[in-house]
Amino acid sequence: MEVFCGSGRLGSKFWDSNLSLYTNNPDLTPCFQNTIVAWIPCIYLWTVLPFNIVYLKYNRRGYIVLSMLSKIKTLIGFLLWITCWSNMFYSFHELAQNNGPPPVYFVTPLIVGITMISATLLMQYERLRGVQSSGILVVFWFLSTLCAIIPFRSNIIVTVKEGRITDKFRFTTFYIYFSLLVVEFLLSCFKEDRPFFSPVSGEPNPCPEAEASFLSKMTFWWFTKLAALGYKRPLEDKDLWALNEQDKSKVVVSKLIKEWEAEKTKIRDMPVKYSKNADAMLNHTDEKATESEVLIVNEKKPRGPSLIKVMMKSFGPFFLIGSVYKLFQDLLSFVNPQLLSILITFTKNKDAPAWWGYCIAILMFLSSLAQTLILHQHFQYCIVTGMRLRSAITGIIYRKSLVITNAAKRTSTLGEVVNLMSVDANRFQDLTTFLNMLWSAPMQIFLALYFLWQTLGPSVLAGVAVMVLLIPINAFIAMKTRAFQVEQMQYKDSRIKLMNEILNGIKVLKLYAWEPSFAQKVLEIRNKELNVLKKAAYLSAMSTFAWTSAPFLVALTTFAVFVTVDETNILDAEKAFVSLSLFNILRFPLNMLPQVISNLAQASVSVKRIQDFLASDELDQNAVSRDKTIPGISVSVQAGTFTWAKNSEAVLNDINLLVPTGSLVAIVGHVGCGKSSLVSALLGEMEKLEGNVSVRGSVAYVSQQAWIQNCTLKDNILFGRSANEKNYRKVLEACALLTDLEILPGGDQTEIGEKTRLLVTHGVSFLPQVDHIVVIVDGKVSETGSYQELLKQNGAFAEFLRNYVFEDSVEEDDVTIDEEQVLLAEETLSNHTDLADNEPVANEARKKFIRQISVLSSDGESGHKASTKRKICERKTSDVTSIKKLPMDKLIQTETAETGRVKMAVFWQYIKAVSLLVSFFICFLYCCQNASAIGANVWLSDWTNEPVINGTQQNTEKRLGVYAALGLLQGFFVMVSSFTLAMAGIGAARKLHSGLLDNKLHTPQAFYDTTPIGRIINRFSKDIYVIDEVIPQTILMFLATFFSSLSTMVVIIASTPLFAVVIIPLAFVYFFVQRFYVATSRQLKRLESVSRSPIYSHFSETITGTSIIRAYGRQGCFVLLSDGKVDENQKSYYPGIVSNRWLGVRVEFVGNCVVLFAALFAVIGRDTLSPGLVGLSVSYALQVTMSLNWMVRMTSDLETNIVAVERVKEYSETETEASWIIEDKRPPKDWPSKGEVELTNYSVRYRAGLDLVLKNLNLRVKGGEKVGIVGRTGAGKSSMTLCLFRILEAAEGVIKIDGVNISEIGLHDLRSMLTIIPQDPVLFSGTLRMNLDPFNKYSDDDLWNALELSNLRKFVASQQDKLEYECSEGGENLSVGQRQLICLARALLRKTRILVLDEATAAIDLETDDLIQTTIRTQFEDCTVLTIAHRLNTIMDYTRVLVIDKGKIAEFDTPTNLIASKGIFYGMAKDAGLA
């Protein structure tokens, strides 16, 4: 190098310590400046250039037109090249003059010039590839400018020293070069215009990140605008940016699906190994292998496609960028402890130049700053990977759920499948944040131990031994915590499942007055859940103790061994505080590694669950042929055998069926014979074992249990089709919905709630009108033919028809049907709830339904029409009336996110739940804990200043003992405070949950009619989870970081009082950033929370309606809907994670300034400060960065999560219904003894602000009377039953039962004395006994007697568990008819004086119907029976019939008199063929 730099006029040494180090005015030699300093930017550019070119080759974003900015940058680049090479040519000129400079003056201008022209060309290439701001070039120009500052200063120093410019040409060109560099660097910080031909987002509010400059991206400055807006006012949905294109569901899901399909193909195409059977070989003389000899070598179970591999291929490369950032950050984290060592050495050396100290302080600041920027880039890449993973997994699960077989669907409950999307997909999102710790933690531990060995020698092995001993303790804690989490999750799942059932069946619970029994069940589970949380709190306290004390115990052990093994081992400030800094670095990897491994274990379980789900069998898309139909036949089945699962017995055997185009066919049979299964087979929903199925044209499907979406009535009808107004109105008329729409406040824009169902019943009375009847018995077709043919056959079925069917008086009519349309209508549950009146569909509407399908279908374009003569009810042709269009009144209001700062009342609510005294005690414990920590470190600082006498320190044992005592005392306070806080949190959670549960069970039914179940469940699941587990942990972290930050300030100010001067401006910046962040972050989390529920609601909705979605071919539409909801959620989640990065960069900058000033003031005051105090002050400052960051994060998290208390509080304070029991108003024990019901001037409305539903009713029903209640849709029939049970409270007037005003007594006293068989046969998961008698009031004999009378005894007795037979969720393992019979059994058990039947028999076959009617007539002979009737034949023998019309009593007399009077009832009876 000396030769390279030469000698003579321009020659110099390569390095001169006296010139560069041991002086108060340092400088570098010209040789060093012209080589190392000049080459640093060149080496950087040539290192990254190949990688950048490869990246640009495969990532084109369009083409940027040559702008003025680009032209100027290019021009300056050429000028820099010319300037560099002018120096080179000048050197040649000098050489020609025999005054040649050393070789460095030729080589360096050449290298730098080539680098400059390369940078300029790269600038143009990036422009052509659509790069708006180049990070590589920004760093290059910054490095070039930074390195040029050294010769800039040096030239001035030399010129001033010599009094003249010695080399005018090079002096001039250098300053031109420097000026150009500064301008180029500044220009490179600006971004170019948006490229042409780029995939421009059509979104109205695109994310500014895509077009942000490099510096803006590194510092997350592009987010500032949103942070400022969030500070000014609460953010709303419209303020959020659109997702980046590469983060959208359609992109990430398609990427994952592509890799998953490729993996499946790869596994499927793997070669199978074969071998010869050795035993077979012995029995044959020849060498030929027969079929029996060849065996598949099955050494282990063939593996399925690996989801892990698929995810790595899809998202691994992007994640690896974050891993590279993590590597650099880890290496940088060890720089500051080394700089601290140098700083302490510097303070000891009073002769050292002051600039050394300033350089150390600046280097500490720059090192910390670089760590900050790199760390947050690492987090950004990792968390975005997690976000994409969640979207992709959610999307692939959703798509799979649309194609899995029914058998696969039955292997897991709806809740479990939803959990795959919510819990399991989120696990990957959480895991990616710290996944790099798997390799990073061991590397950090190794490096920390290496530097510790350098500092303390072999003594560090004692500390390592303590670490090793702590590993099994931490592993035990982690394992037990995991076990407790699993146990607690099971209890939580049980509680949520029960709550879901309670809320879905809340109306039934209220009608039966069963709330206390179910509340008790919930509280029992809740107590078990909290007991597990209590156990976990003990472990959490131990874990927190280990987290805090592990580094201290390691340090204590190391220091103890160090000072005791050899008296000459001096524990000075350098050794003590550098070691402490390294031990603090050790803390994070030591604690995170077990946690990441635990998270990885949980994620592996999730991978297995998702993998199994994705590997589930899919429906055979070719099971039903669409193009191989016989001419003139719409539906054909030939020798069809079908089953629900491949391994199960066939449900339908040898089915042969031909349905001519345009014909109307009825499929009839007893409950469970296979009618619905046949319809499912035609839809391709069953596994086809044999035969052929063909269906021509499109299919319309009306399922037995109707599936209604939580959207507007019009959207439900159109179901994704574009609206044809003419056709749409015909549909409304055909379905008799026009009257309903007139009543509804929002017309067809009225939103339908989750529990509302619009269903149509078509009973056996329609059989005479159909062309063809298929009779199914035990899964086989037993008889086929027309109605008349079946009657002529005089079989058992003909007898059945004669008993139960009344022929209607009809006239002939011609009908036409489009051949390309097939309607599959299952007999549906008649539990239609009209929005205006909870009113079942009128008989008239039912009769019109099938006939008008024909009329609608005749609008088709096909020329082929079939005419058939049929008997139908006389119907007046009327013009389609216009649909009432009123201002929309949403039934289900959109869930609103709270805005603005969380009210102090919410915090106060939580503090009261915890207890004020306990809250103060917890704060006191944290003060004690931090006082102990400060005491231990001050004592250590004092110990390091202990004078060395004869090569040893005095009082070592005493120093060590006090240090140990203070450290252990800190650990004790940590454990006690952690445990106290956890216990207080559990107590608060218990109170808040109890209040919520109590309120929800006392809430009026109207609340449930207007609030989606998912929203209430969210309170009991997500919000209670937050209160149980998240808030106590957040408070713990907040208090820890707050007191830690406070301790740091106290220590630094105590060590260097001058630091107090900068505290105020730093605190101002910190507070300012904190308020910006908290306001924005809090609102973003609220918006994210509100947008999360629709994802899972929509998924649950889809899973329940997959057969209908498939039947109508709407899969693609629903996939888009789901993707849209996920993207909507990520729209608020993404700014949320960016806000954390934005905050981190700014708050850590404040922390880095604390490090800078602590070091600077230590340098300034080195004459008065001991090395121990310097070490104490700076080592505390190095820790404060993370504390300050986490303190703001915890402040925000606390404000965000305390919203859960706000939400629970909101639902704990909703309006409640009347008291269940009013002690001083209790009715007599035998009440009601007669069963008299009297209504006086009675009026009622559904909710405040709505019109009256029943108006001024005056009515008296005598005890023992049987009264049928009839009326058209919306008349108010069901409202009467709701009023009797006080589900609806009177607007005016009274109802008296046996002379007692029911509005004055407790609700349970009323409801428990009435009996209802409701229209929905609601069952709860649990034993049959519990479903009949939840309070255990009745004996086994009573229960068996009730089952006998309800025709269920035979079924129950045949079950292994008898009365303990386990009913599944919603009674799914029982048929609809059996469920209805259980409701009858409930009524028989109660047998009160008043029985209400609310259209309870419409969903069962006629034999069971007859049986129920007979049972009611015999068992409730002396009771008052009120029946809301749709089959008039069931009430024709009643005492009286009440006809309600438009909320008023129209007629009330005996059936005979009403028919004679030829009023409304007469018309209805005539329609039913009874008059």
Side-chain angles (χ1 to χ4, degrees), residues 1222-1277:
I1222 302 170
E1223 287 297 339
D1224 57 340
K1225 294 276 186 179
R1226 301 202 72 166
K1229 286 189 178 179
D1230 62 343
W1231 179 87
S1233 54
K1234 299 175 188 171
E1236 287 183 358
V1237 179
E1238 186 179 358
L1239 281 74
T1240 310
N1241 294 327
Y1242 192 84
S1243 301
V1244 75
R1245 57 171 53 91
Y1246 273 107
R1247 292 188 304 282
L1250 297 183
D1251 293 338
L1252 293 172
V1253 184
L1254 296 177
K1255 303 158 193 169
N1256 299 318
L1257 298 193
N1258 288 284
L1259 167 74
R1260 186 173 180 190
V1261 177
K1262 296 169 190 172
E1265 270 195 303
K1266 309 293 181 283
V1267 176
I1269 304 170
V1270 296
R1272 302 192 190 281
T1273 302
K1277 303 186 298 293

Side-chain angles (χ1 to χ4, degrees), residues 162-325:
E162 295 190 5
R164 64 190 181 87
I165 300 170
T166 52
D167 191 343
K168 290 181 181 177
F169 183 81
R170 287 191 177 87
F171 185 89
T172 306
T173 54
F174 171 76
Y175 281 102
I176 292 170
Y177 169 80
F178 182 80
S179 305
L180 290 171
L181 270 183
V182 172
V183 174
E184 187 76 302
F185 168 63
L186 292 173
L187 290 176
S188 70
C189 294
F190 294 95
K191 66 181 177 72
E192 293 282 357
D193 293 331
R194 179 183 284 178
F196 284 109
F197 315 119
S198 66
V200 180
S201 172
E203 302 285 349
N205 192 12
C207 180
E209 181 188 13
E211 295 186 17
S213 67
F214 170 73
L215 288 177
S216 178
K217 284 180 181 175
M218 287 301 290
T219 58
F220 298 93
W221 185 261
W222 56 271
F223 180 78
T224 306
K225 189 177 177 184
L226 192 68
L229 183 64
Y231 178 71
K232 287 178 188 171
R233 63 169 174 79
L235 292 174
E236 299 169 29
D237 272 334
K238 62 183 172 64
D239 301 319
L240 301 178
W241 303 308
L243 267 185
N244 290 320
E245 196 64 27
Q246 62 271 27
D247 296 332
K248 287 184 178 175
S249 289
K250 65 178 180 184
V251 175
V252 293
V253 179
S254 57
K255 192 185 287 186
L256 190 70
I257 288 174
K258 181 184 170 187
E259 293 295 345
W260 176 252
E261 292 302 325
E263 176 75 0
K264 282 204 300 186
T265 307
K266 181 182 162 188
I267 296 295
R268 199 165 46 239
D269 297 345
M270 278 177 73
V272 182
K273 294 182 183 177
Y274 295 94
S275 74
K276 281 192 177 182
N277 188 329
D279 295 334
M281 288 284 287
L282 296 173
N283 300 326
H284 297 274
T285 53
D286 59 35
E287 285 296 314
K288 290 179 182 177
T290 63
E291 190 176 346
S292 63
E293 294 173 53
V294 181
L295 300 172
I296 295 174
V297 177
N298 191 13
E299 295 162 4
K300 53 185 178 182
K301 189 181 175 185
R303 71 176 183 85
S306 167
L307 186 62
I308 292 283
K309 270 189 184 177
V310 169
M311 291 192 295
M312 285 170 69
K313 283 180 185 175
S314 304
F315 306 106
F318 185 81
F319 182 76
L320 277 175
I321 300 171
S323 303
V324 172
Y325 277 116

Side-chain angles (χ1 to χ4, degrees), residues 1354-1373:
K1354 185 178 174 184
F1355 166 75
V1356 177
S1358 68
Q1359 301 301 318
Q1360 188 178 350
D1361 298 323
K1362 306 288 190 291
L1363 289 170
E1364 302 307 314
Y1365 173 72
E1366 202 66 32
C1367 299
S1368 64
E1369 191 173 343
E1372 291 296 326
N1373 56 345

Side-chain angles (χ1 to χ4, degrees), residues 15 99 167 300 805 885 1103 1401:
W15 179 256
N99 191 20
D167 191 343
K300 53 185 178 182
V805 180
K885 294 277 184 183
I1103 294 235
T1401 60

Side-chain angles (χ1 to χ4, degrees), residues 298-434:
N298 191 13
E299 295 162 4
K300 53 185 178 182
K301 189 181 175 185
R303 71 176 183 85
S306 167
L307 186 62
I308 292 283
K309 270 189 184 177
V310 169
M311 291 192 295
M312 285 170 69
K313 283 180 185 175
S314 304
F315 306 106
F318 185 81
F319 182 76
L320 277 175
I321 300 171
S323 303
V324 172
Y325 277 116
K326 179 65 177 161
L327 175 65
F328 284 115
Q329 194 269 333
D330 285 351
L331 295 175
L332 276 171
S333 65
F334 290 94
V335 171
N336 276 343
Q338 304 310 312
L339 290 173
L340 175 61
S341 173
I342 298 167
L343 183 65
I344 293 171
T345 308
F346 164 78
T347 55
K348 287 181 189 173
N349 183 0
K350 306 299 180 187
D351 298 326
W355 68 268
W356 284 15
Y358 297 130
C359 281
I360 295 165
I362 289 166
L363 282 173
M364 284 179 121
F365 173 72
L366 292 176
S367 167
S368 300
L369 191 62
Q371 275 189 72
T372 293
L373 294 175
I374 291 170
L375 177 66
H376 289 290
Q377 287 302 316
H378 152 70
F379 276 134
Q380 179 71 358
Y381 275 94
C382 292
I383 294 173
V384 168
T385 304
M387 183 181 96
R388 290 179 183 176
L389 258 178
R390 178 189 165 221
S391 290
I393 290 169
T394 301
I396 200 170
I397 289 170
Y398 186 87
R399 284 157 175 79
K400 181 72 180 183
S401 70
L402 288 171
V403 294
I404 61 169
T405 61
N406 284 284
K409 197 188 286 186
R410 285 174 187 177
T411 56
S412 50
T413 65
L414 172 62
E416 285 168 348
V417 181
V418 173
N419 270 348
L420 288 178
M421 190 182 270
S422 54
V423 178
D424 294 310
N426 280 338
R427 271 191 187 144
F428 291 105
Q429 186 167 298
D430 298 338
L431 178 68
T432 52
T433 310
F434 293 109

Side-chain angles (χ1 to χ4, degrees), residues 1146-1187:
R1146 281 144 191 79
V1147 166
E1148 287 180 30
F1149 177 77
V1150 172
N1152 298 336
C1153 289
V1154 171
V1155 173
L1156 172 68
F1157 290 118
L1160 275 178
F1161 294 142
V1163 172
I1164 292 167
R1166 65 174 169 153
D1167 296 332
T1168 57
L1169 289 175
S1170 66
L1173 274 178
V1174 171
L1176 178 70
S1177 172
V1178 178
S1179 63
Y1180 257 93
L1182 287 173
Q1183 293 175 57
V1184 79
T1185 305
M1186 200 54 76
S1187 292

